[in-house]
Amino acid sequence: MFTTFSTSSRAPSAFLAATLLGGSAALALPPYSDWSTPRSAEALPGSSPSLNTASVDGCVSLSRDGRTIYFNSNRSGNQDIYRATRDNVETGFGNSERLADTVNTAADEFCPTITVNNRLYFSRASSADPGDLLVTRERQGGDWDEPANLGAAINSPLMDEAADFFEDAAGNKVMVFSRRNGNGTGGKLYQSVNGAQAVQMNGGVASPASDNRPNISRDGLTIYFDSTRPGGLGGVDLYVATRAGTDEDFGAATALTALNSAAFDARPSLSWDGSELFFSSGRPGSESLAPDIWRTARERTTGPKVVKF
């Protein structure tokens, strides 16, 4: 959850251990062109005007085929999880749908991540905790399982949010996420291997600043996140770091200067094929000072053409 956005019992993390990622460390992402100039996600042809509102809209996650976008918004009062779909990756998203009351409650739900097999990870706040990570699954017919808390190995008394996943070179299922104070300070990136106790990540993704909301490429070699560290254009900005292997720490993080603005820029979300990046921003062109969903794209420059769903 963003600072501009703003739990349940700690059940065992069986859902986390059962997550199937559908990826492989052997599938390295190919070289790409530079990112295009960011535009509001509503600039895509045929987009519904209900994707972005004057309320907070953001903390995006894309389905593997790129056709469904999940995000949180406080358009209904508190933070809830919404989704919208599109026919293909060249067009805009249709009308936004608030997820069922099984997922959304009177509390704040935020920063969703959709994985294979219709598993949805998200955070939920409570009076006792600013945010715990939970997981649910959508069944055939549209019913959602009762969300399960990921447990004490993952969650803490701080705000735990923005889970993402990859498979390392040894075949382990690795979850990355961020943990911070409820006021947005002190953010650090963490990882858990096969549902074990989460540990803080080292290397270029660690800094004295507040580092939050990671999104990792399917090969585990590139990580995007937002940070208040020096080198950005103002406040919270987007950063990227890379590494040669999943058994190494990430190298120095670089600000995505061509994508950042003097406003709030956060929670970058990379498409499965690496050609699109969605993020939240309060820059000029948003519908209010509250963040909107923005998009940038790039072309693959080598290798076979990327499959367009």
Side-chain angles (χ1 to χ4, degrees):
M1 187 173 74
F2 303 147
T3 306
T4 49
F5 308 170
S6 186
T7 298
S8 56
S9 63
R10 303 194 185 279
S13 56
F15 275 84
L16 176 62
T19 299
L20 298 175
L21 302 178
S24 169
L27 299 176
L29 288 177
Y32 290 90
S33 64
D34 292 337
W35 290 109
S36 65
T37 300
R39 301 178 68 191
S40 168
E42 286 186 0
L44 285 165
S47 174
S48 167
S50 73
L51 185 64
N52 288 321
T53 67
S55 301
V56 169
D57 304 297
C59 222
V60 164
S61 176
L62 283 175
S63 61
R64 179 171 171 172
D65 63 8
R67 293 181 180 180
T68 306
I69 189 170
Y70 290 77
F71 61 98
N72 63 246
S73 177
N74 63 353
R75 63 187 66 182
S76 61
N78 58 309
Q79 293 293 339
D80 282 331
I81 309 256
Y82 290 76
R83 68 180 171 189
T85 61
R86 58 182 175 179
D87 293 334
N88 59 70
V89 298
E90 307 292 345
T91 59
F93 294 94
N95 291 332
S96 301
E97 167 200 6
R98 179 183 177 274
L99 297 192
D101 289 345
T102 310
V103 177
N104 289 313
T105 68
D108 282 338
E109 284 84 22
F110 50 92
C111 284
T113 300
I114 189 67
T115 68
V116 296
N117 296 328
N118 295 324
R119 282 193 172 89
L120 181 73
Y121 293 80
F122 64 97
S123 294
R124 177 180 288 163
S126 72
S127 59
D129 195 307
D132 268 0
L133 280 160
L134 288 78
V135 63
T136 182
R137 183 179 180 183
E138 186 177 24
R139 300 290 179 175
Q140 287 187 346
D143 292 332
W144 291 88
D145 290 341
E146 188 66 30
N149 190 289
L150 296 190
I154 305 299
N155 288 312
S156 73
L158 301 180
M159 182 179 289
D160 301 290
E161 62 180 347
D164 202 14
F165 301 87
F166 71 97
E167 184 176 293
D168 69 15
N172 297 305
K173 309 301 187 293
V174 184
M175 176 177 126
V176 297
F177 64 100
S178 60
R179 176 177 293 165
R180 63 179 175 87
N181 298 315
N183 64 3
T185 63
K188 305 299 174 190
L189 304 191
Y190 281 74
Q191 71 174 27
S192 168
V193 179
N194 295 327
Q197 184 66 49
V199 296
Q200 186 176 329
M201 298 176 70
N202 297 314
V205 299
S207 79
S210 192
D211 303 310
N212 293 293
R213 294 171 285 262
N215 182 262
I216 197 160
S217 60
R218 68 176 188 247
D219 58 13
L221 303 181
T222 303
I223 191 167
Y224 295 84
F225 60 100
D226 62 72
S227 178
T228 60
R229 64 180 65 190
L233 296 182
V236 178
D237 280 308
L238 308 179
Y239 284 78
V240 64
T242 62
R243 58 186 175 184
T246 57
D247 59 345
E248 303 176 8
D249 290 335
F250 282 97
T254 302
L256 291 169
T257 304
L259 305 184
N260 288 324
S261 71
F264 176 87
D265 302 299
R267 220 254 169 133
S269 183
L270 187 70
S271 65
W272 177 259
D273 66 7
S275 66
E276 291 183 291
L277 188 75
F278 289 81
F279 61 97
S280 296
S281 181
R283 67 187 63 198
S286 297
E287 297 194 16
S288 73
L289 294 178
D292 273 353
I293 301 169
W294 286 69
R295 172 190 179 270
T296 180
R298 61 185 180 179
E299 295 293 329
R300 188 173 182 171
T301 56
T302 62
K305 295 293 184 181
V306 172
V307 174
K308 298 293 186 181
F309 291 95

